Amino acid sequence: MCGIVGYTGSQEAAPIMLDGLRRLEYRGYDSAGIVISGDGGLRLCKAKGYVENLSNLIGGGALMKGGTGIGHTRWATHGKPSDENAHPHISYGGKIAIVHNGIIENYAKLRDMLIAKGVQFKSETDTEVACNLIQYFYDGDILKAVSEAALRLEGSYALGIVCEDFPDTLLAVRKESPLVLGVGKDGNFLASDVAAILQHTRDVYYLDDDEIAVVTPRSIKFYAAGLVETEKELSRVDWDISAAEKGGYEHFMFKEIMEQPEAVRKTLSPRIKDGRVLLDDVRFDPDYLKSLSRIYIVGCGSAYHVGVVAKYNLEKLLRIPVEACLASEFRYASPLVGDKTLVICISQSGMTADTIAAMRESKRLGARVLSIVNVVGSVIANESDDVIYTWAGPEIAVATTKAYSTQLAVTYLIGLYMADILGTITKDEYDALVRGLLELPSKLEKILSSKEQVQYLASIYFNKENIFFIGRNIDYALTLESSLKLKEISYIHSDAYAAGELKHGTISLIEDGTLVIAMASYTQLIDKTVSNIVEVKSRGAEILTLTTESGVASVAHTSDNIITIPDTHEVLLPSLAVVPMQLFSYYVALMRGCSIDKPRNLAKSVTVE
Ligand code: F6R
């Protein structure tokens, strides 16, 4: 969603911000803006649409001279995408400009209060309310004004602020929305995401909730509640800038698909030693594990789909009821959560509003929360009882691929670790699964090396307008992810069904030429799935089947085309089967000329409910 980048130092700020904003484009946005603070006061430029529009208006930055400024990409919440609603916003007194990520929940009340005091508003945004509130408290002490305003703001926010009276100073304050401060050679930085400033510095401070940072070219100071100055620890970002660049690939999504063998290796190999799974990240007491009556797995979108795979696998391995829940539904469904419940939250960003809410509700009800997160220091990582990081590196494409694969890999580790403690797995089974895990990266490489076959299949089917995915058990879980991937980037309508369910209604939609993609990797149920394939084939459907090398013979006579993946332990099949489906979605979207890394209406990190 929205992105923030700010700079104060001896360089020209505008080009630095334009570059930073381009690096934040992946988050999804609909307008962009920039403010420069200097001896001439505050100068503002904002534009609906891409950062390129903004850049053209200011001559690539050359028309806005000055060493201090803040830029923003906005994903509309309050008020439509427009020049007026774009950030930064300037206060009624003209002295203060701010950019904002998040949502101010009590903005209407505050707006009414300010209007009653005679303040006039130019936009429909909650951000302008925050800006005017700071101006309202401003009496020459900008730190105090920001603190007073922040005390009255409810909701989630990351604010970047400049004040005309302090031309080389940036201020930042946050609550439940991330902000980092970067220490550079020729100045200091402010950003909502390290990707925006990584080309300048890897030395960053992570701002905590309710903390205020005051940034000048030579210093960064932090203030906690009551404006007490605090010391913070400098962190070093260890991923390389190339990880957040395309590196010769046409799209981030394709690059991230290709990175999966390495990403999964990084997730797994440090946690498997001498044939044993070591989860140093979690501290589970065996008695606690034995007392568990239920596990909930909570997430949104693809993270939820990982949960659906894990539900099948964990129930099989642990013999405990496991439920996969959509985070947006979870807390309003009176979940049966208590101290004998483990809640596993899955989130790449660690910032998804619904998953955060589900996590907090689970903790409030007494559950222990284990999270599977990619972004270090994110809200979910910070607030969970235990965190297992996926170590997938930055994921830039909106459509997740390597995060999905690494999250899945972590669920296998959790399954093995817990099954071992609970005594629900035999030694042979444990060893076979560990062997399978260690072989996953090379099998993923093998699948990727035959990507041209998937590209060819995409060229046959890319002009379909309705596609149905069917599968049973873990293959059904996989249809959910395959269908989501396809529709989010290619805009083709598709649906995912448990294969046995079609004849209870949906089969009426099958007609001559309808494409049905059958996931038939799960050997135990392959014959059942073949029966369902026959049902749709005899009603005119074209069949593309995904199966394992040993499954080909079972599906050959009923399929028009087949995608084959290597055999592996049945628990691990989704890790291999998802990759051809990611490639299929990618190639189909490419052939349809879609905006692959930034699909319409979508944002990378969904920080609103
Ligand atoms: C789909 C996709 C989304 C995310 C979902 C959760 O390709 O990326 O469905 O999986 O928005 O995001 P995180 O994992 O950041 O909580």
Side-chain angles (χ1 to χ4, degrees):
M1 293 193 146
C2 308
I4 296 175
V5 58
Y7 169 75
T8 178
S10 57
Q11 307 283 312
E12 286 297 322
I16 291 178
M17 280 180 289
L18 288 173
D19 179 57
L21 292 179
R22 285 189 192 101
R23 290 172 193 272
L24 293 177
E25 284 187 305
Y26 75 94
R27 297 169 64 96
Y29 71 104
D30 43 53
S31 52
I34 184 173
V35 63
I36 294 289
S37 159
D39 294 338
L42 300 178
R43 280 160 300 140
L44 197 65
C45 185
K46 30 194 206 174
K48 191 176 157 194
Y50 289 123
V51 172
E52 235 26 64
N53 298 355
L54 174 69
S55 175
N56 290 338
L57 287 175
I58 58 173
L63 302 178
M64 284 183 94
K65 296 272 180 218
T68 302
I70 309 182
H72 189 260
T73 47
R74 171 177 188 251
W75 190 86
T77 55
H78 297 67
K80 61 183 187 309
S82 67
D83 293 355
E84 300 73 48
N85 290 333
H87 303 196
H89 287 278
I90 291 237
S91 63
Y92 61 93
K95 277 198 175 297
I96 290 155
I98 79 167
V99 299
H100 165 219
N101 288 1
I103 288 201
I104 294 173
E105 285 166 2
N106 60 339
Y107 85 103
K109 215 167 75 193
L110 293 170
R111 189 181 160 105
D112 288 348
M113 182 278 279
L114 289 165
I115 288 173
K117 307 265 181 209
V119 175
Q120 287 181 356
F121 284 82
K122 297 189 274 292
S123 78
E124 301 156 78
T125 63
D126 51 342
T127 305
E128 196 186 359
V129 174
C131 186
N132 283 337
L133 194 64
I134 297 173
Q135 171 81 67
Y136 176 73
F137 286 112
Y138 181 60
D139 59 5
D141 184 343
I142 186 64
L143 178 59
K144 191 166 119 271
V146 169
S147 163
E148 290 293 334
L151 284 174
R152 286 156 181 89
L153 298 177
E154 289 167 15
S156 66
Y157 53 83
L159 302 180
I161 304 148
V162 283
C163 176
E164 189 181 77
D165 298 338
F166 305 91
D168 68 350
T169 303
L170 309 175
L171 287 99
V173 59
R174 64 153 259 183
K175 189 170 167 215
E176 295 175 17
S177 189
L179 273 181
V180 293
L181 293 313
V183 182
K185 279 199 203 75
D186 307 314
N188 292 320
F189 298 85
L190 157 69
S192 53
D193 183 328
V194 281
I197 56 172
L198 204 59
Q199 68 277 29
H200 304 289
T201 179
R202 300 221 195 133
D203 294 322
V204 299
Y205 294 102
Y206 293 97
L207 198 64
D208 285 325
D209 269 359
D210 302 318
E211 241 175 13
I212 302 178
V214 178
V215 187
T216 68
R218 286 159 304 281
S219 69
I220 305 181
K221 290 187 174 163
F222 298 95
Y223 299 88
L227 293 182
V228 179
E229 193 173 339
T230 52
E231 293 292 320
K232 282 183 83 72
E233 210 176 306
L234 195 62
S235 303
R236 180 105 182 134
V237 179
D238 60 3
W239 40 271
D240 202 86
I241 182 161
S242 63
E245 290 180 338
K246 281 191 199 150
Y249 290 100
E250 197 179 338
H251 296 102
F252 279 112
M253 183 181 177
F254 191 66
K255 176 178 179 248
E256 289 159 8
I257 289 173
M258 298 304 285
E259 281 172 354
Q260 289 178 110
E262 193 47 30
V264 168
R265 192 175 281 125
K266 279 192 182 146
T267 306
L268 291 176
S269 55
R271 293 167 171 134
I272 301 178
K273 294 258 163 18
D274 303 325
R276 308 288 306 162
V277 170
L278 303 176
L279 283 189
D280 293 338
D281 331 52
V282 298
R283 306 252 170 273
F284 283 146
D285 184 57
D287 288 338
Y288 162 73
L289 286 187
K290 286 176 188 153
S291 76
L292 285 179
S293 61
R294 184 187 296 264
I295 298 175
Y296 282 108
I297 309 178
V298 182
C300 299
S302 298
Y304 162 72
H305 297 158
V306 171
V308 181
V309 175
K311 175 221 159 47
Y312 285 107
N313 282 336
L314 293 183
E315 259 178 5
K316 198 183 303 174
L317 290 169
L318 308 179
R319 310 312 301 153
I320 296 175
V322 180
E323 215 174 307
C325 299
L326 288 164
S328 53
E329 290 291 312
F330 179 75
R331 70 184 167 135
Y332 303 116
S334 320
L336 298 171
V337 172
D339 60 356
K340 294 190 171 36
T341 322
L342 172 66
V343 176
I344 302 178
C345 289
I346 305 182
S347 176
Q348 186 283 131
S349 60
M351 288 305 302
T352 302
D354 284 316
T355 315
I356 292 175
M359 169 194 66
R360 290 185 178 151
E361 178 65 0
S362 304
K363 291 189 75 167
R364 193 186 68 78
L365 293 170
R368 189 177 178 105
V369 174
L370 163 64
S371 63
I372 302 174
V373 175
N374 193 36
V375 177
V376 175
S378 55
V379 172
I380 295 177
N382 283 347
E383 292 187 23
S384 299
D385 297 296
D386 304 276
V387 193
I388 305 182
Y389 284 112
T390 45
W391 297 332
E395 191 178 62
I396 307 290
V398 165
T400 183
T401 52
K402 63 175 178 172
Y404 176 92
S405 289
T406 52
Q407 287 162 357
L408 212 49
V410 171
T411 66
Y412 305 141
L413 294 171
I414 293 173
L416 273 167
Y417 172 85
M418 287 177 60
D420 188 35
I421 294 176
L422 294 173
T424 50
I425 190 166
T426 63
K427 180 171 180 330
D428 285 353
E429 183 74 351
Y430 185 97
D431 292 345
L433 250 170
V434 169
R435 265 197 313 280
L437 278 178
L438 293 173
E439 285 166 8
L440 270 185
S442 60
K443 289 186 176 170
L444 289 169
E445 273 157 12
K446 185 169 173 201
I447 294 169
L448 289 169
S449 69
S450 53
K451 55 186 180 307
E452 286 74 18
Q453 190 224 351
V454 181
Q455 187 174 19
Y456 166 70
L457 292 169
S459 76
I460 302 179
Y461 296 121
F462 78 96
N463 54 8
K464 297 280 180 195
E465 290 307 330
N466 272 306
I467 298 182
F468 293 88
F469 287 84
I470 60 170
R472 287 172 177 264
N473 198 274
I474 45 177
D475 282 330
Y476 165 58
L478 200 63
T479 64
L480 298 171
E481 177 59 9
S482 307
S483 170
L484 174 64
K485 211 87 305 172
L486 183 71
K487 55 195 156 203
E488 69 180 326
I489 60 166
S490 75
Y491 313 146
I492 295 177
H493 170 261
S494 86
D495 260 325
Y497 286 93
E501 190 60 21
L502 276 190
K503 53 186 163 299
H504 298 286
T506 312
I507 203 160
S508 65
L509 292 169
I510 305 295
E511 51 187 14
D512 273 351
T514 307
L515 178 60
V516 174
I517 301 184
M519 314 295 294
S521 70
Y522 188 52
T523 323
Q524 282 191 39
L525 293 175
I526 199 161
D527 292 340
K528 300 277 176 205
T529 306
V530 167
S531 305
N532 303 129
I533 293 175
V534 173
E535 287 160 9
V536 288
K537 193 168 174 59
S538 59
R539 286 163 179 83
E542 284 178 54
I543 309 293
L544 169 61
T545 304
L546 182 145
T547 190
T548 56
E549 281 158 6
S550 61
V552 174
S554 309
V555 302
H557 58 294
T558 51
S559 308
D560 296 298
N561 282 294
I562 297 176
I563 296 174
T564 311
I565 56 167
D567 285 292
T568 183
H569 191 293
E570 61 176 27
V571 162
L572 311 178
L573 283 165
S575 283
L576 301 185
V578 74
V579 175
M581 289 297 107
Q582 296 167 343
L583 286 167
F584 183 77
S585 304
Y586 172 78
Y587 287 124
V588 165
L590 193 65
M591 288 166 199
R592 290 169 73 97
C594 299
S595 165
I596 292 180
D597 284 336
K598 286 172 269 165
R600 68 183 177 212
N601 305 337
L602 292 182
K604 180 66 183 162
S605 175
V606 184
T607 49
V608 295
E609 263 197 65

